Amino acid sequence: MSRQDKAVDYKHSGFNCAQAVLMAFSDILDEDELTLKKLGAGFGCGMGAFDATCGSLCAAQMILGLKCYSGRPMLADAKLLHADFKRMCGSADCGELKGLKGGPMLCACDDCIKNAVRLTEERMI
């Protein structure tokens, strides 16, 4: 099963989008599963409960920090990840993605999760 499919399975098993992405990478992260669940717990419905950044994107940023941080700033990497996610999904804002801010739904949660996982995998190769 692909990591993208694992993440979607986690989402459909009661995890929020951020937790689902984090858990899909649990095999390569140095944190235990409970810690990953706790880390992503506040990002359900996006940061700020539909009012800001998509939780799956937040989790992707966390994973890159956990795996790739080497003491140097990662702002350029974070900006690229954000831009790529926005290009793939239509926005990085959870409320906009779900169509809760006056526009149409741009990207379903399952697709946001898959895109976040795919972008994270690409950066870790």
Side-chain angles (χ1 to χ4, degrees):
M1 177 183 294
S2 74
R3 200 177 297 275
Q4 291 177 35
D5 291 334
K6 283 182 187 179
V8 170
D9 281 352
Y10 279 118
K11 172 66 174 159
H12 291 273
S13 298
F15 293 78
N16 70 38
C17 294
Q19 290 171 320
V21 173
L22 287 163
M23 293 297 292
F25 286 88
S26 64
D27 61 319
I28 63 165
L29 296 173
D30 295 330
E31 307 299 328
D32 62 78
E33 290 186 357
L34 179 58
T35 300
L36 294 175
K37 286 169 58 177
K38 289 179 178 180
L39 184 63
F43 296 91
C45 301
M47 191 180 342
F50 297 119
D51 200 33
T53 307
C54 171
S56 59
L57 175 57
C58 292
Q61 297 282 15
M62 290 180 223
I63 293 164
L64 287 180
L66 287 168
K67 291 305 289 181
C68 301
Y69 179 72
S70 64
R72 67 169 183 78
M74 294 186 64
L75 298 177
D77 300 314
K79 186 174 184 173
L80 279 173
L81 176 60
H82 182 273
D84 287 345
F85 183 88
K86 190 173 178 179
R87 177 185 46 78
M88 292 175 80
C89 298
S91 178
D93 181 287
C94 184
E96 289 177 3
L97 290 163
K98 303 303 145 235
L100 300 173
K101 294 187 173 181
M105 183 195 300
L106 300 174
C107 194
C109 288
D110 287 0
D111 293 327
C112 289
I113 289 168
K114 288 178 181 180
N115 289 336
V117 169
R118 181 177 338 148
L119 290 169
T120 303
E121 288 176 320
E122 288 172 2
R123 281 157 175 78
M124 293 176 60
I125 293 174

